[in-house]
Amino acid sequence: MKIRKRPVTISHAVNSVCNLRCSFCDEWKKFEKDGSSAVREPSFEDVCKIIDLAVDFGIGSYNAWSTEPFLRKDLPDIMKYAKSKGMKTFTITNGLLLKKRIHEFKDVDYISVSIDGPTATREIRGANYETILDGIRYASESGFLNEPLLMNCVISGKNLDEVVDLLHFAKELGNVKMAVEPVYTFKRMDDTDWDGLSIREDQKPQFVSLMNELIDLKKQGYPLINSKTYLKQIRDGKFIKNCRVDCGILAIDHHSNLYNCRIHNKPLGNVIETSVFDENGKIVQNGMTKIWNQTKKERKEMIQNCEGCQFFGYAELTLMNNYNIESFYGYEWL
């Protein structure tokens, strides 16, 4: 990252529909608001083009994400193609289809499941907690996983007394790890009841106590992949500034638009429309490279003017870029 000064991972929105309605997510909200214009998901051919552009750009990891990637029937073929290009492969799921489809993903290195405890999973995500838990347990015991499965837990005012139980569950399974991050208040999402999600002032002591317990459990060897530095920062309410997301992750939406940051959510250009391919599909002009080079000033200003955030991925990338050795030990997902 320090030498190349460009991302190493691409997060690609492979679809735009979801089987859940998580209240703090704006991906499905954009779909319903835009209507038919958002229905189109990238074709398999376009997905392969984006993977080719990313490899040519020098990116080594492919992450299929968005609303619910497991709803794409050809997701295993997508991951197989990325794997054939020498990429590390990742996907993020809400877990409802995990038990049904886990056997299809032999070409996926890492799978992350979003789960926040029984209360939050039901009230915030509108999901059946036991179904997700059963899928995680099945995946863990199935032998289909290439690497330990990851549970990602968003800490909110709804689950402060449920997070530790999830970590114990991960430890009991043996080949499951866990990551946490606090819920982020997206100012652009006016229709979200943030008062029901955010950690209230009267809950702050409980939040601090939870973070201290997580830090202690990590020291005891519990499978929490967050660095202690990050856990202490969010415990103390610190926001990550001077972010180095530009050295780590590029995001591509389901319309092939390139984004540099989930917070600013500003498209920098369309990587397919900006690219040129010959009749054999070989890259003549890489739109990803072109957009990256043309937006250097814009990306720099975005970081300089940012108020900061507490996103786990962005924060750990920044810590690593600042030579925080502890972050290198846990953040294998990079």
Side-chain angles (χ1 to χ4, degrees):
M1 290 189 298
K2 295 291 282 189
I3 296 172
R4 295 176 66 253
K5 298 186 182 300
R6 62 169 58 182
V8 295
T9 296
I10 181 172
S11 284
H12 185 200
V14 294
N15 61 351
S16 58
V17 295
C18 195
N19 50 4
L20 287 182
R21 293 294 181 267
C22 303
S23 55
F24 55 75
C25 174
D26 62 347
E27 294 299 320
W28 66 266
K29 292 181 181 181
K30 286 188 292 186
F31 167 76
E32 292 197 343
K33 181 179 179 181
D34 295 343
S36 60
S37 66
V39 172
R40 185 187 72 83
E41 65 181 20
S43 66
F44 178 74
E45 291 73 23
D46 276 353
V47 172
C48 291
K49 283 182 179 179
I50 288 173
I51 291 172
D52 288 340
L53 293 171
V55 171
D56 184 70
F57 183 60
I59 288 176
S61 300
Y62 179 80
N63 177 31
W65 79 290
S66 68
T67 42
E68 178 45 51
F70 275 40
L71 290 174
R72 266 196 87 126
K73 293 182 179 178
D74 63 354
L75 184 61
D77 297 322
I78 291 172
M79 307 310 266
K80 182 178 181 180
Y81 185 79
K83 196 75 173 175
S84 74
K85 297 295 180 177
M87 304 183 91
K88 279 285 187 181
T89 52
F90 307 72
T91 190
I92 300 172
T93 175
N94 58 38
L96 290 178
L97 298 174
L98 186 62
K99 187 174 182 178
K100 181 180 180 180
R101 300 201 65 186
I102 182 64
H103 64 282
E104 301 177 52
F105 295 101
K106 63 179 181 179
D107 292 305
V108 179
D109 293 309
Y110 295 94
I111 296 177
S112 175
V113 181
S114 300
I115 184 168
D116 307 324
T119 303
T121 298
R122 286 193 294 264
E123 294 185 8
I124 298 177
R125 299 187 184 275
N128 187 309
Y129 178 73
E130 293 302 326
T131 299
I132 300 174
L133 219 60
D134 187 44
I136 292 172
R137 186 181 290 107
Y138 177 80
S140 169
E141 297 171 351
S142 66
F144 292 120
L145 295 172
N146 294 326
E147 298 287 348
L149 183 142
L150 179 69
M151 300 192 312
N152 189 70
C153 176
V154 176
I155 301 174
S156 69
K158 298 283 189 181
N159 65 345
L160 291 173
D161 56 353
E162 299 173 348
V163 178
V164 171
D165 288 340
L166 277 175
L167 186 56
H168 282 290
F169 174 65
K171 189 174 190 297
E172 289 168 8
L173 291 177
N175 63 336
V176 174
K177 297 188 178 184
M178 182 167 152
V180 298
E181 63 183 343
V183 64
Y184 184 82
T185 305
F186 285 101
K187 297 177 181 178
R188 62 178 179 270
M189 294 166 58
D190 297 329
D191 58 342
T192 299
D193 179 18
W194 292 114
D195 290 336
L197 291 171
S198 302
I199 298 168
R200 302 187 310 270
E201 196 63 36
D202 63 298
Q203 293 177 311
K204 291 291 177 65
Q206 186 181 0
F207 173 73
V208 171
S209 177
L210 167 62
M211 298 315 300
N212 284 331
E213 185 172 4
L214 290 176
I215 292 168
D216 287 340
L217 289 173
K218 181 175 177 65
K219 291 177 180 177
Q220 295 174 35
Y222 276 70
L224 191 62
I225 70 171
N226 305 85
S227 68
K228 293 190 291 292
T229 305
Y230 170 77
L231 295 172
K232 291 174 183 177
Q233 285 183 332
I234 63 171
R235 177 198 65 189
D236 299 338
K238 294 181 179 179
F239 282 75
I240 312 305
K241 298 184 178 181
N242 300 315
C243 178
R244 296 316 311 270
V245 63
D246 58 321
C247 290
I249 305 170
L250 273 187
I252 306 288
D253 69 12
H254 65 283
H255 287 307
S256 303
N257 294 310
L258 185 150
Y259 295 77
N260 196 205
C261 174
R262 287 177 61 192
I263 305 298
H264 294 276
N265 202 39
K266 183 179 179 181
L268 300 175
N270 189 292
V271 297
I272 295 289
E273 294 175 359
T274 315
S275 298
V276 178
F277 300 86
D278 64 18
E279 63 275 9
N280 297 316
K282 185 177 180 180
I283 300 169
V284 176
Q285 174 179 285
N286 190 325
M288 195 175 293
T289 304
K290 183 178 180 180
I291 294 170
W292 180 261
N293 292 334
Q294 289 179 342
T295 58
K296 182 178 180 179
K297 181 180 178 181
E298 183 178 353
R299 289 184 285 105
K300 184 177 180 180
E301 290 176 350
M302 187 184 300
I303 292 171
Q304 290 176 337
N305 297 329
C306 182
E307 298 176 355
C309 74
Q310 295 179 326
F311 274 124
F312 164 51
Y314 293 179
E316 298 284 15
L317 282 169
T318 300
L319 289 171
M320 281 190 284
N321 204 264
N322 291 330
Y323 302 111
N324 183 282
I325 302 301
E326 187 208 352
S327 294
F328 284 96
Y329 283 101
Y331 197 41
E332 60 193 88
W333 269 65
L334 179 62

